[in-house]
Amino acid sequence: MALPQDIEDPKFEVVKIGSSYYRKLVVDENIKFKCEEDRRYWEEEEEEEERELDDQMTYEGDEWCLKLGIPAVFHKFIVGSRARNKQKLEMESGAKIVVPNRDDLQDAIYLKARQKSHIYSCKAQIELLCEKEEAKLEYTHFISVPLAHDQKFRQLVDEFREDVILRRFDGIDASIFMPSKRLHFTLCMLKLHSHAQVDELKEALSDFSARLAATSDYGKPLIAHMRGLHIMTDDPTSVGVLFTTDRSRELQNRMNALSDMIFEILQARNLVSSQSLNSQRLLSSDGQHAEVKLHATLMNTKYSRNRVDGRFEERRTAERETFDASPLMERFGQVDFGQVRLQELQLSCLDEMGDDGYYRSLASVPLSNAKTQSHRGLADEGMWFKKKKK
């Protein structure tokens, strides 16, 4: 609405409405108001300050629209109970949130607003919400270093398993043993809830491969001497997980250096957070360096089963069962499973198995290009692990 103070030399005319007379401001159609000039100035300022997602926005009707990549599994958190979260986000940001139908399974939502700043505000709030709610989601993938490719290693582990079962230790049965075909080291657990995140992870591993190939260690074989039985706590009378490993400082330093490289790349691509790495206990106390505890799980009570009415049922209770491992460790504590060459790193699916019995691999990176003879003196290349075609 035009006001007299917006015009340098205002002119008026007298009009009669009913029995009363009023002054009416005469406004020239071509006049430029001061308020319009200010508004145009600020619009020009906004146009000059382009932001990272401006080129991804489209102008539809009378508002801007941004397609924001958000895995479908997070949509329920954005909407909330009775759409309360969605309403709150819209009210606080000034943008409208369009969530695709649940049946569409789109890994994206749409933000609409007349001002781009409202879209950026809404995007920031949604990303904070998703980061907070991610803790409620299960892990889907992990970075593994397979050990199961070594036939001799698997054979020794299977012999150990049979010997332990025959001795009938209290609290130990066949169901708590990890199948030898799945033995591995875990470097990092991941939550990848969309195809886009999986593709991004593959690109990250490609970057890692290039950086690793440029290091001096890449030409050296990477070998782990797997021996001894170890537990996660200091109490052998209450054990949930029992594992074997190589505790040599040389191997630990080299694997930590690899992990530092991987974690840096994954964090730069927002595929894992420092908070997640800390919660997995993969970082030093100051959070600056990788400290991965290498372990190949041999026994885990999480997989324990009870026989009920002649049938086995898996125990999926929240409280983990334990057993007294003292007699087992006294008898087998110094067991030697031999040396295993660490050939590659894989992006593995947590709940899917490949044809070889190992976790389904989506991508792999060689850890060394050393073309030396096998550590057991086996020249036959057929003894080496070859990844199945996907």
Side-chain angles (χ1 to χ4, degrees), residues 124-156:
Q125 293 183 55
I126 287 174
E127 288 174 343
L128 285 174
L129 174 64
C130 291
E131 185 177 335
K132 176 183 176 182
E133 298 296 343
E134 186 181 21
K136 300 177 182 178
L137 301 177
E138 299 291 333
Y139 290 110
T140 59
H141 301 75
F142 65 105
I143 302 295
S144 75
V145 177
L147 303 171
H149 64 83
D150 192 296
Q151 183 178 355
K152 183 61 177 178
F153 176 61
R154 293 201 314 271
Q155 179 183 336
L156 292 172

PDB file of all heavy atoms in Angstrom, residues 124-156:
ATOM      1  N   ALA A 124      18.634 -28.016   6.747  1.00  0.00           N
ATOM      2  CA  ALA A 124      19.533 -28.135   7.891  1.00  0.00           C
ATOM      3  C   ALA A 124      18.846 -28.820   9.071  1.00  0.00           C
ATOM      4  O   ALA A 124      19.436 -29.686   9.737  1.00  0.00           O
ATOM      5  CB  ALA A 124      20.037 -26.752   8.297  1.00  0.00           C
ATOM      6  N   GLN A 125      17.585 -28.447   9.335  1.00  0.00           N
ATOM      7  CA  GLN A 125      16.854 -29.049  10.453  1.00  0.00           C
ATOM      8  C   GLN A 125      16.574 -30.534  10.210  1.00  0.00           C
ATOM      9  O   GLN A 125      16.642 -31.344  11.125  1.00  0.00           O
ATOM     10  CB  GLN A 125      15.544 -28.289  10.666  1.00  0.00           C
ATOM     11  CG  GLN A 125      15.732 -26.867  11.163  1.00  0.00           C
ATOM     12  CD  GLN A 125      14.417 -26.172  11.426  1.00  0.00           C
ATOM     13  OE1 GLN A 125      13.574 -26.668  12.176  1.00  0.00           O
ATOM     14  NE2 GLN A 125      14.220 -25.008  10.809  1.00  0.00           N
ATOM     15  N   ILE A 126      16.266 -30.881   8.968  1.00  0.00           N
ATOM     16  CA  ILE A 126      15.998 -32.291   8.641  1.00  0.00           C
ATOM     17  C   ILE A 126      17.260 -33.125   8.782  1.00  0.00           C
ATOM     18  O   ILE A 126      17.229 -34.245   9.306  1.00  0.00           O
ATOM     19  CB  ILE A 126      15.434 -32.398   7.208  1.00  0.00           C
ATOM     20  CG1 ILE A 126      13.995 -31.876   7.181  1.00  0.00           C
ATOM     21  CG2 ILE A 126      15.477 -33.838   6.703  1.00  0.00           C
ATOM     22  CD1 ILE A 126      13.377 -31.805   5.808  1.00  0.00           C
ATOM     23  N   GLU A 127      18.389 -32.591   8.348  1.00  0.00           N
ATOM     24  CA  GLU A 127      19.653 -33.331   8.462  1.00  0.00           C
ATOM     25  C   GLU A 127      20.032 -33.559   9.922  1.00  0.00           C
ATOM     26  O   GLU A 127      20.535 -34.631  10.278  1.00  0.00           O
ATOM     27  CB  GLU A 127      20.758 -32.586   7.718  1.00  0.00           C
ATOM     28  CG  GLU A 127      20.600 -32.667   6.206  1.00  0.00           C
ATOM     29  CD  GLU A 127      21.608 -31.822   5.452  1.00  0.00           C
ATOM     30  OE1 GLU A 127      22.214 -30.923   6.081  1.00  0.00           O
ATOM     31  OE2 GLU A 127      21.790 -32.052   4.250  1.00  0.00           O
ATOM     32  N   LEU A 128      19.785 -32.578  10.771  1.00  0.00           N
ATOM     33  CA  LEU A 128      20.043 -32.749  12.204  1.00  0.00           C
ATOM     34  C   LEU A 128      19.131 -33.821  12.797  1.00  0.00           C
ATOM     35  O   LEU A 128      19.567 -34.645  13.614  1.00  0.00           O
ATOM     36  CB  LEU A 128      19.836 -31.418  12.944  1.00  0.00           C
ATOM     37  CG  LEU A 128      20.933 -30.369  12.775  1.00  0.00           C
ATOM     38  CD1 LEU A 128      20.519 -29.062  13.440  1.00  0.00           C
ATOM     39  CD2 LEU A 128      22.240 -30.866  13.384  1.00  0.00           C
ATOM     40  N   LEU A 129      17.866 -33.814  12.381  1.00  0.00           N
ATOM     41  CA  LEU A 129      16.914 -34.808  12.860  1.00  0.00           C
ATOM     42  C   LEU A 129      17.339 -36.213  12.452  1.00  0.00           C
ATOM     43  O   LEU A 129      17.322 -37.143  13.265  1.00  0.00           O
ATOM     44  CB  LEU A 129      15.520 -34.494  12.312  1.00  0.00           C
ATOM     45  CG  LEU A 129      14.423 -35.529  12.605  1.00  0.00           C
ATOM     46  CD1 LEU A 129      14.164 -35.616  14.101  1.00  0.00           C
ATOM     47  CD2 LEU A 129      13.151 -35.181  11.858  1.00  0.00           C
ATOM     48  N   CYS A 130      17.731 -36.382  11.198  1.00  0.00           N
ATOM     49  CA  CYS A 130      18.138 -37.697  10.700  1.00  0.00           C
ATOM     50  C   CYS A 130      19.400 -38.194  11.397  1.00  0.00           C
ATOM     51  O   CYS A 130      19.537 -39.390  11.686  1.00  0.00           O
ATOM     52  CB  CYS A 130      18.364 -37.646   9.185  1.00  0.00           C
ATOM     53  SG  CYS A 130      16.849 -37.413   8.235  1.00  0.00           S
ATOM     54  N   GLU A 131      20.328 -37.289  11.651  1.00  0.00           N
ATOM     55  CA  GLU A 131      21.560 -37.663  12.358  1.00  0.00           C
ATOM     56  C   GLU A 131      21.238 -38.169  13.762  1.00  0.00           C
ATOM     57  O   GLU A 131      21.839 -39.134  14.240  1.00  0.00           O
ATOM     58  CB  GLU A 131      22.496 -36.456  12.432  1.00  0.00           C
ATOM     59  CG  GLU A 131      23.851 -36.785  13.038  1.00  0.00           C
ATOM     60  CD  GLU A 131      24.787 -35.591  13.031  1.00  0.00           C
ATOM     61  OE1 GLU A 131      24.602 -34.689  12.182  1.00  0.00           O
ATOM     62  OE2 GLU A 131      25.708 -35.554  13.866  1.00  0.00           O
ATOM     63  N   LYS A 132      20.264 -37.533  14.407  1.00  0.00           N
ATOM     64  CA  LYS A 132      19.860 -37.942  15.747  1.00  0.00           C
ATOM     65  C   LYS A 132      19.148 -39.293  15.723  1.00  0.00           C
ATOM     66  O   LYS A 132      19.408 -40.162  16.558  1.00  0.00           O
ATOM     67  CB  LYS A 132      18.941 -36.866  16.342  1.00  0.00           C
ATOM     68  CG  LYS A 132      18.378 -37.238  17.695  1.00  0.00           C
ATOM     69  CD  LYS A 132      17.414 -36.165  18.180  1.00  0.00           C
ATOM     70  CE  LYS A 132      16.755 -36.568  19.493  1.00  0.00           C
ATOM     71  NZ  LYS A 132      15.763 -35.544  19.950  1.00  0.00           N
ATOM     72  N   GLU A 133      18.274 -39.494  14.736  1.00  0.00           N
ATOM     73  CA  GLU A 133      17.469 -40.714  14.684  1.00  0.00           C
ATOM     74  C   GLU A 133      18.246 -41.912  14.124  1.00  0.00           C
ATOM     75  O   GLU A 133      17.810 -43.054  14.287  1.00  0.00           O
ATOM     76  CB  GLU A 133      16.224 -40.482  13.815  1.00  0.00           C
ATOM     77  CG  GLU A 133      15.276 -39.418  14.336  1.00  0.00           C
ATOM     78  CD  GLU A 133      14.651 -39.790  15.673  1.00  0.00           C
ATOM     79  OE1 GLU A 133      14.687 -40.981  16.044  1.00  0.00           O
ATOM     80  OE2 GLU A 133      14.143 -38.888  16.359  1.00  0.00           O
ATOM     81  N   GLU A 134      19.386 -41.671  13.485  1.00  0.00           N
ATOM     82  CA  GLU A 134      20.154 -42.768  12.891  1.00  0.00           C
ATOM     83  C   GLU A 134      20.571 -43.800  13.935  1.00  0.00           C
ATOM     84  O   GLU A 134      20.708 -44.986  13.636  1.00  0.00           O
ATOM     85  CB  GLU A 134      21.392 -42.228  12.173  1.00  0.00           C
ATOM     86  CG  GLU A 134      22.156 -43.298  11.409  1.00  0.00           C
ATOM     87  CD  GLU A 134      23.384 -42.761  10.718  1.00  0.00           C
ATOM     88  OE1 GLU A 134      23.879 -41.689  11.118  1.00  0.00           O
ATOM     89  OE2 GLU A 134      23.860 -43.409   9.770  1.00  0.00           O
ATOM     90  N   ALA A 135      20.763 -43.356  15.176  1.00  0.00           N
ATOM     91  CA  ALA A 135      21.175 -44.266  16.243  1.00  0.00           C
ATOM     92  C   ALA A 135      20.145 -45.375  16.462  1.00  0.00           C
ATOM     93  O   ALA A 135      20.485 -46.450  16.971  1.00  0.00           O
ATOM     94  CB  ALA A 135      21.395 -43.485  17.536  1.00  0.00           C
ATOM     95  N   LYS A 136      18.898 -45.146  16.070  1.00  0.00           N
ATOM     96  CA  LYS A 136      17.846 -46.145  16.259  1.00  0.00           C
ATOM     97  C   LYS A 136      17.836 -47.207  15.158  1.00  0.00           C
ATOM     98  O   LYS A 136      17.142 -48.214  15.288  1.00  0.00           O
ATOM     99  CB  LYS A 136      16.479 -45.454  16.308  1.00  0.00           C
ATOM    100  CG  LYS A 136      16.329 -44.440  17.428  1.00  0.00           C
ATOM    101  CD  LYS A 136      14.980 -43.751  17.364  1.00  0.00           C
ATOM    102  CE  LYS A 136      14.838 -42.709  18.459  1.00  0.00           C
ATOM    103  NZ  LYS A 136      13.535 -41.991  18.395  1.00  0.00           N
ATOM    104  N   LEU A 137      18.587 -46.969  14.082  1.00  0.00           N
ATOM    105  CA  LEU A 137      18.584 -47.893  12.949  1.00  0.00           C
ATOM    106  C   LEU A 137      19.674 -48.947  13.096  1.00  0.00           C
ATOM    107  O   LEU A 137      20.702 -48.722  13.730  1.00  0.00           O
ATOM    108  CB  LEU A 137      18.787 -47.117  11.643  1.00  0.00           C
ATOM    109  CG  LEU A 137      17.748 -46.040  11.341  1.00  0.00           C
ATOM    110  CD1 LEU A 137      18.111 -45.317  10.057  1.00  0.00           C
ATOM    111  CD2 LEU A 137      16.354 -46.644  11.231  1.00  0.00           C
ATOM    112  N   GLU A 138      19.454 -50.094  12.481  1.00  0.00           N
ATOM    113  CA  GLU A 138      20.402 -51.198  12.551  1.00  0.00           C
ATOM    114  C   GLU A 138      21.511 -51.021  11.516  1.00  0.00           C
ATOM    115  O   GLU A 138      21.333 -50.362  10.493  1.00  0.00           O
ATOM    116  CB  GLU A 138      19.675 -52.531  12.290  1.00  0.00           C
ATOM    117  CG  GLU A 138      18.575 -52.864  13.296  1.00  0.00           C
ATOM    118  CD  GLU A 138      19.122 -53.180  14.670  1.00  0.00           C
ATOM    119  OE1 GLU A 138      20.293 -53.634  14.750  1.00  0.00           O
ATOM    120  OE2 GLU A 138      18.401 -52.971  15.660  1.00  0.00           O
ATOM    121  N   TYR A 139      22.651 -51.646  11.797  1.00  0.00           N
ATOM    122  CA  TYR A 139      23.730 -51.678  10.808  1.00  0.00           C
ATOM    123  C   TYR A 139      23.305 -52.566   9.643  1.00  0.00           C
ATOM    124  O   TYR A 139      22.595 -53.558   9.816  1.00  0.00           O
ATOM    125  CB  TYR A 139      25.016 -52.221  11.437  1.00  0.00           C
ATOM    126  CG  TYR A 139      25.657 -51.290  12.433  1.00  0.00           C
ATOM    127  CD1 TYR A 139      25.667 -51.587  13.797  1.00  0.00           C
ATOM    128  CD2 TYR A 139      26.253 -50.108  12.014  1.00  0.00           C
ATOM    129  CE1 TYR A 139      26.258 -50.729  14.715  1.00  0.00           C
ATOM    130  CE2 TYR A 139      26.845 -49.244  12.922  1.00  0.00           C
ATOM    131  CZ  TYR A 139      26.844 -49.556  14.270  1.00  0.00           C
ATOM    132  OH  TYR A 139      27.423 -48.699  15.175  1.00  0.00           O
ATOM    133  N   THR A 140      23.761 -52.204   8.455  1.00  0.00           N
ATOM    134  CA  THR A 140      23.382 -52.947   7.252  1.00  0.00           C
ATOM    135  C   THR A 140      24.584 -53.572   6.539  1.00  0.00           C
ATOM    136  O   THR A 140      24.461 -54.596   5.888  1.00  0.00           O
ATOM    137  CB  THR A 140      22.664 -52.028   6.254  1.00  0.00           C
ATOM    138  OG1 THR A 140      23.552 -50.930   5.913  1.00  0.00           O
ATOM    139  CG2 THR A 140      21.386 -51.468   6.849  1.00  0.00           C
ATOM    140  N   HIS A 141      25.752 -52.923   6.644  1.00  0.00           N
ATOM    141  CA  HIS A 141      26.961 -53.362   5.942  1.00  0.00           C
ATOM    142  C   HIS A 141      28.164 -53.219   6.869  1.00  0.00           C
ATOM    143  O   HIS A 141      28.059 -52.606   7.934  1.00  0.00           O
ATOM    144  CB  HIS A 141      27.201 -52.535   4.670  1.00  0.00           C
ATOM    145  CG  HIS A 141      26.088 -52.596   3.674  1.00  0.00           C
ATOM    146  ND1 HIS A 141      24.895 -51.922   3.862  1.00  0.00           N
ATOM    147  CD2 HIS A 141      25.980 -53.229   2.473  1.00  0.00           C
ATOM    148  CE1 HIS A 141      24.094 -52.150   2.823  1.00  0.00           C
ATOM    149  NE2 HIS A 141      24.733 -52.933   1.978  1.00  0.00           N
ATOM    150  N   PHE A 142      29.294 -53.732   6.441  1.00  0.00           N
ATOM    151  CA  PHE A 142      30.527 -53.521   7.196  1.00  0.00           C
ATOM    152  C   PHE A 142      31.735 -53.688   6.282  1.00  0.00           C
ATOM    153  O   PHE A 142      31.657 -54.307   5.220  1.00  0.00           O
ATOM    154  CB  PHE A 142      30.618 -54.464   8.399  1.00  0.00           C
ATOM    155  CG  PHE A 142      30.708 -55.931   8.077  1.00  0.00           C
ATOM    156  CD1 PHE A 142      31.911 -56.628   8.204  1.00  0.00           C
ATOM    157  CD2 PHE A 142      29.583 -56.648   7.671  1.00  0.00           C
ATOM    158  CE1 PHE A 142      31.992 -57.983   7.914  1.00  0.00           C
ATOM    159  CE2 PHE A 142      29.654 -58.005   7.384  1.00  0.00           C
ATOM    160  CZ  PHE A 142      30.864 -58.676   7.508  1.00  0.00           C
ATOM    161  N   ILE A 143      32.845 -53.075   6.699  1.00  0.00           N
ATOM    162  CA  ILE A 143      34.107 -53.214   5.988  1.00  0.00           C
ATOM    163  C   ILE A 143      34.845 -54.399   6.604  1.00  0.00           C
ATOM    164  O   ILE A 143      35.170 -54.384   7.787  1.00  0.00           O
ATOM    165  CB  ILE A 143      34.975 -51.947   6.108  1.00  0.00           C
ATOM    166  CG1 ILE A 143      34.226 -50.728   5.582  1.00  0.00           C
ATOM    167  CG2 ILE A 143      36.295 -52.136   5.368  1.00  0.00           C
ATOM    168  CD1 ILE A 143      33.925 -50.756   4.109  1.00  0.00           C
ATOM    169  N   SER A 144      35.075 -55.438   5.811  1.00  0.00           N
ATOM    170  CA  SER A 144      35.691 -56.655   6.343  1.00  0.00           C
ATOM    171  C   SER A 144      36.990 -56.982   5.625  1.00  0.00           C
ATOM    172  O   SER A 144      37.201 -56.599   4.474  1.00  0.00           O
ATOM    173  CB  SER A 144      34.727 -57.844   6.203  1.00  0.00           C
ATOM    174  OG  SER A 144      34.655 -58.289   4.856  1.00  0.00           O
ATOM    175  N   VAL A 145      37.852 -57.700   6.337  1.00  0.00           N
ATOM    176  CA  VAL A 145      39.054 -58.293   5.752  1.00  0.00           C
ATOM    177  C   VAL A 145      38.883 -59.802   5.891  1.00  0.00           C
ATOM    178  O   VAL A 145      39.001 -60.352   6.987  1.00  0.00           O
ATOM    179  CB  VAL A 145      40.329 -57.827   6.482  1.00  0.00           C
ATOM    180  CG1 VAL A 145      41.561 -58.516   5.885  1.00  0.00           C
ATOM    181  CG2 VAL A 145      40.469 -56.317   6.401  1.00  0.00           C
ATOM    182  N   PRO A 146      38.540 -60.499   4.809  1.00  0.00           N
ATOM    183  CA  PRO A 146      38.254 -61.933   4.888  1.00  0.00           C
ATOM    184  C   PRO A 146      39.469 -62.761   5.317  1.00  0.00           C
ATOM    185  O   PRO A 146      40.595 -62.506   4.894  1.00  0.00           O
ATOM    186  CB  PRO A 146      37.833 -62.295   3.453  1.00  0.00           C
ATOM    187  CG  PRO A 146      37.452 -60.987   2.829  1.00  0.00           C
ATOM    188  CD  PRO A 146      38.333 -59.973   3.444  1.00  0.00           C
ATOM    189  N   LEU A 147      39.197 -63.742   6.177  1.00  0.00           N
ATOM    190  CA  LEU A 147      40.199 -64.739   6.563  1.00  0.00           C
ATOM    191  C   LEU A 147      39.811 -66.116   6.041  1.00  0.00           C
ATOM    192  O   LEU A 147      40.648 -67.018   5.964  1.00  0.00           O
ATOM    193  CB  LEU A 147      40.319 -64.794   8.091  1.00  0.00           C
ATOM    194  CG  LEU A 147      40.657 -63.487   8.810  1.00  0.00           C
ATOM    195  CD1 LEU A 147      40.522 -63.678  10.320  1.00  0.00           C
ATOM    196  CD2 LEU A 147      42.059 -63.022   8.458  1.00  0.00           C
ATOM    197  N   ALA A 148      38.531 -66.256   5.696  1.00  0.00           N
ATOM    198  CA  ALA A 148      37.982 -67.568   5.335  1.00  0.00           C
ATOM    199  C   ALA A 148      38.477 -68.085   3.995  1.00  0.00           C
ATOM    200  O   ALA A 148      38.235 -69.247   3.659  1.00  0.00           O
ATOM    201  CB  ALA A 148      36.445 -67.492   5.320  1.00  0.00           C
ATOM    202  N   HIS A 149      39.164 -67.257   3.230  1.00  0.00           N
ATOM    203  CA  HIS A 149      39.671 -67.734   1.934  1.00  0.00           C
ATOM    204  C   HIS A 149      40.780 -68.763   2.104  1.00  0.00           C
ATOM    205  O   HIS A 149      41.085 -69.518   1.185  1.00  0.00           O
ATOM    206  CB  HIS A 149      40.189 -66.559   1.107  1.00  0.00           C
ATOM    207  CG  HIS A 149      41.373 -65.863   1.731  1.00  0.00           C
ATOM    208  ND1 HIS A 149      42.650 -66.321   1.593  1.00  0.00           N
ATOM    209  CD2 HIS A 149      41.444 -64.755   2.500  1.00  0.00           C
ATOM    210  CE1 HIS A 149      43.480 -65.520   2.249  1.00  0.00           C
ATOM    211  NE2 HIS A 149      42.766 -64.563   2.806  1.00  0.00           N
ATOM    212  N   ASP A 150      41.404 -68.783   3.306  1.00  0.00           N
ATOM    213  CA  ASP A 150      42.533 -69.682   3.550  1.00  0.00           C
ATOM    214  C   ASP A 150      42.029 -71.058   3.985  1.00  0.00           C
ATOM    215  O   ASP A 150      41.496 -71.233   5.080  1.00  0.00           O
ATOM    216  CB  ASP A 150      43.442 -69.084   4.632  1.00  0.00           C
ATOM    217  CG  ASP A 150      44.765 -69.804   4.742  1.00  0.00           C
ATOM    218  OD1 ASP A 150      44.741 -71.002   5.105  1.00  0.00           O
ATOM    219  OD2 ASP A 150      45.814 -69.186   4.472  1.00  0.00           O
ATOM    220  N   GLN A 151      42.186 -72.038   3.125  1.00  0.00           N
ATOM    221  CA  GLN A 151      41.644 -73.379   3.371  1.00  0.00           C
ATOM    222  C   GLN A 151      42.254 -74.025   4.616  1.00  0.00           C
ATOM    223  O   GLN A 151      41.556 -74.668   5.409  1.00  0.00           O
ATOM    224  CB  GLN A 151      41.887 -74.258   2.151  1.00  0.00           C
ATOM    225  CG  GLN A 151      41.303 -75.668   2.271  1.00  0.00           C
ATOM    226  CD  GLN A 151      41.526 -76.491   1.010  1.00  0.00           C
ATOM    227  OE1 GLN A 151      42.031 -75.997   0.000  1.00  0.00           O
ATOM    228  NE2 GLN A 151      41.144 -77.754   1.064  1.00  0.00           N
ATOM    229  N   LYS A 152      43.559 -73.873   4.807  1.00  0.00           N
ATOM    230  CA  LYS A 152      44.223 -74.488   5.966  1.00  0.00           C
ATOM    231  C   LYS A 152      43.727 -73.865   7.258  1.00  0.00           C
ATOM    232  O   LYS A 152      43.512 -74.564   8.262  1.00  0.00           O
ATOM    233  CB  LYS A 152      45.743 -74.306   5.828  1.00  0.00           C
ATOM    234  CG  LYS A 152      46.543 -74.967   6.938  1.00  0.00           C
ATOM    235  CD  LYS A 152      46.331 -76.482   6.978  1.00  0.00           C
ATOM    236  CE  LYS A 152      47.197 -77.127   8.044  1.00  0.00           C
ATOM    237  NZ  LYS A 152      46.957 -78.588   8.132  1.00  0.00           N
ATOM    238  N   PHE A 153      43.546 -72.563   7.253  1.00  0.00           N
ATOM    239  CA  PHE A 153      43.038 -71.865   8.428  1.00  0.00           C
ATOM    240  C   PHE A 153      41.645 -72.377   8.787  1.00  0.00           C
ATOM    241  O   PHE A 153      41.351 -72.665   9.955  1.00  0.00           O
ATOM    242  CB  PHE A 153      43.005 -70.360   8.160  1.00  0.00           C
ATOM    243  CG  PHE A 153      42.403 -69.538   9.268  1.00  0.00           C
ATOM    244  CD1 PHE A 153      42.957 -69.528  10.533  1.00  0.00           C
ATOM    245  CD2 PHE A 153      41.258 -68.773   9.036  1.00  0.00           C
ATOM    246  CE1 PHE A 153      42.402 -68.765  11.555  1.00  0.00           C
ATOM    247  CE2 PHE A 153      40.696 -68.007  10.042  1.00  0.00           C
ATOM    248  CZ  PHE A 153      41.275 -68.007  11.306  1.00  0.00           C
ATOM    249  N   ARG A 154      40.777 -72.487   7.792  1.00  0.00           N
ATOM    250  CA  ARG A 154      39.422 -73.014   8.046  1.00  0.00           C
ATOM    251  C   ARG A 154      39.482 -74.428   8.619  1.00  0.00           C
ATOM    252  O   ARG A 154      38.727 -74.786   9.524  1.00  0.00           O
ATOM    253  CB  ARG A 154      38.597 -73.019   6.756  1.00  0.00           C
ATOM    254  CG  ARG A 154      38.258 -71.648   6.207  1.00  0.00           C
ATOM    255  CD  ARG A 154      37.042 -71.721   5.277  1.00  0.00           C
ATOM    256  NE  ARG A 154      37.134 -72.824   4.329  1.00  0.00           N
ATOM    257  CZ  ARG A 154      37.706 -72.752   3.138  1.00  0.00           C
ATOM    258  NH1 ARG A 154      38.302 -71.614   2.764  1.00  0.00           N
ATOM    259  NH2 ARG A 154      37.713 -73.791   2.326  1.00  0.00           N
ATOM    260  N   GLN A 155      40.372 -75.240   8.087  1.00  0.00           N
ATOM    261  CA  GLN A 155      40.493 -76.622   8.547  1.00  0.00           C
ATOM    262  C   GLN A 155      40.899 -76.675  10.024  1.00  0.00           C
ATOM    263  O   GLN A 155      40.321 -77.437  10.805  1.00  0.00           O
ATOM    264  CB  GLN A 155      41.534 -77.360   7.703  1.00  0.00           C
ATOM    265  CG  GLN A 155      41.749 -78.816   8.111  1.00  0.00           C
ATOM    266  CD  GLN A 155      42.859 -79.483   7.293  1.00  0.00           C
ATOM    267  OE1 GLN A 155      43.161 -79.057   6.177  1.00  0.00           O
ATOM    268  NE2 GLN A 155      43.460 -80.502   7.860  1.00  0.00           N
ATOM    269  N   LEU A 156      41.867 -75.858  10.421  1.00  0.00           N
ATOM    270  CA  LEU A 156      42.322 -75.835  11.813  1.00  0.00           C
ATOM    271  C   LEU A 156      41.223 -75.324  12.750  1.00  0.00           C
ATOM    272  O   LEU A 156      41.066 -75.816  13.869  1.00  0.00           O
ATOM    273  CB  LEU A 156      43.572 -74.974  11.943  1.00  0.00           C
ATOM    274  CG  LEU A 156      44.831 -75.538  11.277  1.00  0.00           C
ATOM    275  CD1 LEU A 156      45.966 -74.518  11.291  1.00  0.00           C
ATOM    276  CD2 LEU A 156      45.266 -76.832  11.978  1.00  0.00           C
TER     277      LEU A 156
END
